[in-house]
Amino acid sequence: MPTIISPPKPTKQVDCRSCGATIGYTAVEVKIGADTDYLGDTDRYAYIECPCCAHEIRLPRAVSTLY
């Protein structure tokens, strides 16, 4: 059975525009969302949730290669 020696260190960081917190995150914590316009076209984006205020923080496309 594997054991955790230490938690993974954040690889990237971003500032929350809502509360001002600086948040470190790893690729495992990134989620994918989708916006749909009135014509039915869908755009996907990567985001994380701020642990302080639960605000959705969208990540720049250059930062995420998940979509």
Side-chain angles (χ1 to χ4, degrees):
M1 171 179 242
T3 59
I4 298 173
I5 304 300
S6 66
K9 296 181 180 174
T11 57
K12 299 179 182 174
Q13 68 181 22
V14 66
D15 293 329
C16 178
R17 292 183 181 178
S18 180
C19 68
T22 301
I23 301 148
Y25 65 94
T26 60
V28 175
E29 299 164 326
V30 176
K31 300 176 184 176
I32 302 297
D35 283 333
T36 306
D37 63 10
Y38 67 95
L39 293 176
D41 295 330
T42 302
D43 291 324
R44 296 175 63 184
Y45 60 91
Y47 72 96
I48 61 169
E49 276 188 23
C50 177
C52 295
C53 67
H55 180 76
E56 185 178 278
I57 303 169
R58 292 191 182 195
L59 303 173
R61 189 173 292 265
V63 171
S64 176
T65 59
L66 300 175
Y67 60 100

